[in-house]
Amino acid sequence: MLDARNVTAIVVTYNRLPLLKQCLAALRAQTVQGFTVLLVDNASTDGTADYIKTLAMPGLVCRNPGENLGGAGGFAYGIRAAAELGCEAVWIMDDDTLPEPDALAALLAADAAHGDGYGWLSSRALAPDGTDQPMNLQRKTMYRDIDGFDAAEVPAVMASFVSLFLRTEAVRQFGLPIAEFFIWSDDWEYTRRISRAKPCYVIPASRVVHAMQNPGVVNIARDVPARWARYRYFYRNDVVLYRREGLSGWLWLLAKDSWHTVQVLRDRQDCRAERIKIIWKGFAAGVRFRPQIPYLP
């Protein structure tokens, strides 16, 4: 069984200090202790660096890459740094992830049950009101969410980075997340890359609250104008993810992007043409996009 002292929790943050404080407090409250917390501060400008200097938290390591690498770049950077620290497993989460006190203990118990025979383990993600967070529902196939959390472990093929646990040897085998994604679909791509080769599981006893600032399903037809521009990553990156599945993946992409287009056309907000252009320019960019999978040395 892995000792908690051989685990590194990786938290990526960018200008969300109030949420980061809650995340770090939740990590300090875990029933198992001794693990390292590697905080990747994506060059925040909200006082995060100054706050960390005042924080007396054993095992905390802070790294600042000097620029905002996005979530994808931050996790790739953090996992590489954690491996360099010599850990045997990584526990990945965003700065708005609030693990319940026994979240890590449940993951370690599941790891002990499976040994090296699994790819990754994922926690059950809840909204602050206690309901399941729809954006973080794991999938049992590429196109269908898991049916529920009634079993002690639930097989899955894709999961988010809102509390994902895997051994460093799996990172060495399958590589790092694709930093070029910047945001969105990096977690889906990474977990699917691994699940194509090894069984992976959701561990319902490991629970976290995902205190999202913008809850809901990712959809440019429903999102606020200030966030529209970033959707070019979403539609581009999804092509990389789904084309690997062959014809079924391409059909899924076309159906999803077409449905989002229809939803935009039905929207009464202005700038419908702008949003439709983002969808299909993102799709076209994805067709041309050939990112390299980075590996540990």
Side-chain angles (χ1 to χ4, degrees), residues 75-81 83 171-172 174-179 189-190 193 292-297:
F75 284 118
Y77 179 96
I79 295 171
R80 184 185 296 275
V171 178
R172 296 191 182 281
F174 297 103
L176 298 164
I178 299 174
E189 187 281 327
Y190 190 58
R193 191 195 313 168
Q292 296 297 311
I293 295 175
Y295 285 87
L296 294 174

Side-chain angles (χ1 to χ4, degrees), residues 96-119:
D96 55 1
T97 302
L98 313 178
E100 294 189 353
D102 56 356
L104 179 56
L107 293 171
L108 288 171
D111 173 90
H114 287 282
D116 61 359
Y118 73 93

Side-chain angles (χ1 to χ4, degrees), residues 24-41:
L24 295 178
L27 291 173
R28 290 197 299 270
Q30 291 299 295
T31 56
V32 291
Q33 286 294 318
F35 58 95
T36 298
V37 177
L38 175 60
L39 175 64
V40 179
D41 176 11

